[in-house]
């Protein structure tokens, strides 16, 4: 199972999907595009526990984090 985690002011939500399921994979890709078009930054966790920013959906990523960009006040 792969997971998409969305961080927002209320906490976070998790969406798990089976990367072998074509429909679930398409839904996850749509969610990636929707969130990044809304201004979320996407990052994939690496094997060593770090994260790296990504600009395209990676169907092999086990965990993708989405967080809003910081805004100045």
């Amino acid at each position: 199972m792969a997971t998409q985690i969305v961080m927002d002011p209320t906490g976070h939500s998790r969406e798990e999907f089976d990367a072998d399921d074509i429909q679930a994979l398409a839904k996850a890709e749509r969610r990636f595009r929707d969130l990044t078009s809304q201004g979320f930054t996407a990052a994939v966790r690496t094997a060593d526990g770090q994260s790296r920013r990504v600009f395209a959906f990676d169907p092999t990523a086990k965990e993708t984090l989405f967080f809003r960009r910081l805004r100045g006040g």
Side-chain angles (χ1 to χ4, degrees):
M1 282 292 184
T3 307
Q4 292 178 321
I5 302 169
V6 182
M7 308 299 287
D8 64 28
T10 64
H12 72 277
S13 61
R14 300 173 75 87
E15 182 77 28
E16 292 186 342
F17 64 94
D18 180 357
D20 294 326
D21 179 335
I22 300 293
Q23 290 179 338
L25 193 61
K27 183 178 177 183
E29 185 171 7
R30 278 192 307 274
R31 183 180 172 116
F32 181 97
R33 285 193 316 261
D34 289 346
L35 289 168
T36 54
S37 71
Q38 292 174 33
F40 281 83
T41 297
V44 171
R45 297 248 184 160
T46 61
D48 61 358
Q50 300 295 313
S51 296
R52 68 177 166 78
R53 187 172 180 190
V54 294
F55 298 93
F57 178 69
D58 179 357
T60 65
K62 292 293 180 192
E63 191 172 79
T64 305
L65 304 167
F66 297 90
F67 51 94
R68 286 235 180 244
R69 294 184 188 129
L70 295 176
R71 291 189 220 179

